[in-house]
Amino acid sequence: MYAQMVKTEAKRVKSREEMTPEEAAFQDRIEAGEKIEPKDWMPEGYRRTLIRQIGQHAHSEIVGQLPEGNWITRAPTLERKAILLAKVQDEAGHGLYLYSAAETLGVSRDALIAKLHDGSMKYSSIFNYPTLTWADIGAVGWLVDGAAIMNQVPLQRTSYGPYSRAMIRICKEESFHQRQGYDILIKMCLKGTPAQKAMAQDALNRFWYPSLMMFGPSDKDSVHSAQSMAWKIKINTNDELRQKFVDQTVPQAEYLGLTVPDPDLTWNEDKGGYDFTEPDWAEFYAVLAGNGPCNRERMAARVAAWEDGAWFREGLMAHARKAAKRGVAAE
Amino acid sequence: MSSEWPLWEIFIRGQHGLNHRHVGSLHAPDAEMAIRHARDVYTRRNEGVSIWAVKSDDIVASAPSEKGPLFDPSNSKVYRHPTFFDIPDEAGHM
Ligand SMILES: [Fe+2]
Ligand SMILES: [Fe+2]
C-alpha cells in the first residue's frame, strides 16, 4: 500500500508465555480496542515498526504529489486546474498529518526526510510510474486514490491514537480525490472523442497492474503481516484488500466502457468476487529496489526541492530568533 | 544551529459559541506563520472561525502513570451527578 512491506523485526508473533508482563498488558489493551497514546508504554518493536510504516506513508503522500504536479500547468481548463491544485495541496496536508503522527514516537521530521533522501526509507512503488497524458490524471485519482482509500479506511481503527486520528482526517478528503479522477474519465470516455477514449484506455492499461501492486506482495510472501496484524497496525491482509479493490473497480471500468487489461478476469460465483491475474512481482521488486521508470527523477525532484528551499527555511528561523530577542529586549 | 522549524499544536473553533478543539500539529518558524499554515491545512473546507496555535514545548501534560491517582477518586463521588438524587414527582420539574 502506501506503506508496502514494512519490516517488524519479528520472525513470528510471540506467544503469551513468551511475553513479559508489560508486553502482555500492552497486548491486552490492543485486543480490548484501546488506543495507545504517545506517552504510554509500548514495545520497542511496535514503536520502530510504526515509525517505519507512518514514515513510509508520509513519504508516499509527498512524493505522490510529483506525478500529478506535472499536470497542474497542463490541465485542459481553468476549473480542472483549480481542482487538481486543491487535490495536490491536500496530499501535502496528508504528508504533514502523518509526519506529525510519526514525530509523536520520538523521531524528527527532518530525520525522516533525510532517510527518504538517502534511500534508506521507501515510498509507494506506484509513484515511480510516469503520468504521460491527461487521462493518467483521471486514472491516478480513480485507481491510485481508490486503492489508497481501500487501505486507509480500515486503518482509521488502528491501535496507535495519533495514526488513527491522522487517518480519519485523511479519509475525509480522499473521496474527493477519487471522484475528481473518475469524473475526468467520465468526460473523456462518455462525452469525449474516440481519441480521448483511447487515451483513457491506454491510461488504464498502464496503471492497472501497478495499482494492484500497491497492496504489497501476496499474503504467502508477506512475512511481517502477522505481527503487524496482532498489533493492529495492519487490519486486513494484502490479498483481501486487493480482491476488494478489483471487485469494486471492474464495474466502474465497465461503466466507462473501458476494458481491464486482464484476459483472465472472470467473475467467480462461488467466492462472490473476480478471479484475476496477479501483477508481475518481479517488476514490483525492481521498482522498490529503485529501478522503476521514474525512481531517479522522483528522488532528484525531492532532494532539489529540499536543498533549494534550505535558504528560505533558515531565513525564516533567523528572523524568528531575531524577533524573539527584540521582544525580550522590549519588555 | 538546527533550522528545523518548531512544532505547534493547533486548535480550531469550529463555529461561533463552541470551544476550540485540538485538530493536529504543524511546523512553523514563528507564531504568525503557525497561524498561516494552520489556515492552509486545517481550515480548507470551512472547518473554523478561529485558530489558536501553541508551541508544543509549552504544553504541560499529565503522565499516563498518574491516571489512577488523578482520575479514580471521582469514581466514588456519584453524588456529583444529578441522577444521584430522587426528587418526588409531586415536586414538579427540577
Ligand atoms: Fe493522500
Ligand atoms: Fe489522495
Side-chain angles (χ1 to χ4, degrees):
Chain A
M1 192 11 48
Y2 273 25
Q4 297 155 322
M5 303 188 65
V6 176
K7 290 201 181 75
T8 60
E9 300 158 32
K11 295 257 180 327
R12 57 181 185 80
V13 182
K14 274 189 190 174
S15 71
R16 281 276 163 178
E17 294 71 51
E18 293 168 295
M19 287 182 186
T20 65
E22 275 165 321
E23 285 169 345
F26 177 81
Q27 194 59 38
D28 287 342
R29 293 189 61 196
I30 299 230
E31 278 158 31
E34 273 182 44
K35 294 282 181 240
I36 308 302
E37 295 297 339
K39 289 183 167 179
D40 296 347
W41 186 89
M42 60 187 82
E44 259 311 287
Y46 177 85
R47 197 180 68 81
R48 285 202 296 261
T49 303
L50 267 177
I51 289 176
R52 275 195 292 270
Q53 177 170 335
I54 301 173
Q56 203 182 108
H57 195 156
H59 297 329
S60 299
E61 301 285 353
I62 297 300
V63 178
Q65 294 180 105
L66 295 170
E68 293 180 294
N70 182 39
W71 280 90
I72 290 174
T73 55
R74 299 179 172 92
T77 67
L78 195 54
E79 186 187 43
R80 290 290 180 191
K81 180 174 176 168
I83 292 170
L84 183 58
L85 189 58
K87 196 263 186 196
V88 174
Q89 284 172 338
D90 277 354
E91 305 298 3
H94 296 179
L96 168 72
Y97 308 154
L98 287 160
Y99 282 126
S100 298
E103 284 178 283
T104 64
L105 292 158
V107 61
S108 79
R109 183 168 78 182
D110 282 11
L112 289 172
I113 290 173
K115 284 188 166 177
L116 170 69
H117 292 175
D118 73 17
S120 57
M121 279 185 90
K122 303 279 182 225
Y123 54 91
S124 176
S125 55
I126 190 71
F127 301 119
N128 292 309
Y129 291 86
T131 43
L132 304 175
T133 71
W134 175 247
D136 287 10
I137 298 306
V140 166
W142 171 38
L143 301 173
V144 176
D145 289 85
I149 291 171
M150 281 276 118
N151 178 260
Q152 289 169 345
V153 165
L155 275 177
Q156 293 178 104
R157 292 179 291 137
T158 186
S159 61
Y160 188 57
Y163 192 24
S164 155
R165 292 189 285 274
M167 279 299 129
I168 290 170
R169 290 199 75 81
I170 288 174
C171 284
K172 274 191 193 148
E173 302 181 346
E174 284 295 351
S175 92
F176 150 56
H177 297 178
Q178 192 182 18
R179 284 171 176 226
Q180 65 84 36
Y182 198 65
D183 187 60
I184 289 172
L185 294 176
I186 287 179
K187 259 276 168 32
M188 296 182 81
C189 294
L190 303 178
K191 296 167 192 162
T193 63
Q196 288 170 331
K197 188 166 175 190
M199 202 181 263
Q201 181 64 54
D202 173 59
L204 176 59
N205 293 348
R206 282 180 290 109
F207 276 94
W208 175 254
Y209 287 105
S211 299
L212 297 188
M213 291 176 198
M214 287 177 68
F215 298 95
S218 175
D219 294 345
K220 55 186 191 306
D221 305 316
S222 163
V223 280
H224 302 286
S225 286
Q227 179 62 76
S228 290
M229 290 181 88
W231 280 334
K232 289 195 191 160
I233 55 181
K234 181 176 179 131
I235 311 290
N236 304 92
T237 72
N238 298 348
D239 286 336
E240 268 167 32
L241 290 173
R242 190 166 16 247
Q243 180 71 53
K244 231 178 134 187
F245 176 76
V246 170
D247 293 345
Q248 178 187 289
T249 307
V250 169
Q252 294 167 352
E254 283 167 358
Y255 179 81
L256 296 171
L258 297 179
T259 309
V260 172
D262 179 355
D264 295 327
L265 184 82
T266 40
W267 177 255
N268 180 331
E269 193 63 54
D270 292 338
K271 74 171 179 187
Y274 285 92
D275 290 332
F276 58 93
T277 306
E278 291 224 355
D280 175 1
W281 292 115
E283 177 182 322
F284 169 74
Y285 289 113
V287 174
L288 269 200
N291 298 315
C294 300
N295 295 56
R296 284 170 194 80
E297 189 186 328
R298 298 291 184 244
M299 275 336 290
R302 278 314 311 154
V303 172
W306 180 252
E307 286 174 357
D308 295 349
W311 69 271
F312 177 75
R313 294 191 301 276
E314 284 157 19
L316 286 189
M317 264 328 280
H319 171 76
R321 283 194 199 101
K322 231 171 166 180
K325 239 185 233 156
R326 259 203 311 273
V328 171
E331 271 169 22
Chain B
M1 202 179 288
S2 162
S3 66
E4 183 157 18
W5 293 348
L7 201 60
W8 300 73
E9 299 305 322
I10 305 302
F11 300 80
I12 304 277
R13 186 198 297 286
Q15 283 172 43
H16 290 291
L18 295 185
N19 288 319
H20 285 75
R21 273 187 59 187
H22 184 242
V23 292
S25 17
L26 51 76
H27 288 269
D30 57 28
E32 186 189 340
M33 289 301 290
I35 297 278
R36 280 169 188 260
H37 288 173
R39 196 283 307 257
D40 288 346
V41 280
Y42 291 114
T43 65
R44 289 171 58 71
R45 293 176 173 84
N46 297 325
E47 289 95 336
V49 294
S50 162
I51 299 168
W52 285 352
V54 184
K55 264 198 182 158
S56 306
D57 283 347
D58 291 337
I59 301 256
V60 183
S62 63
S65 57
E66 287 177 304
K67 205 172 135 213
L70 283 177
F71 307 118
D72 287 353
S74 75
N75 287 346
S76 58
K77 298 179 178 58
V78 283
Y79 45 82
R80 288 176 176 176
H81 297 276
T83 45
F84 178 74
F85 304 94
D86 287 325
I87 303 295
D89 286 346
E90 298 78 55
H93 175 74
M94 188 177 288

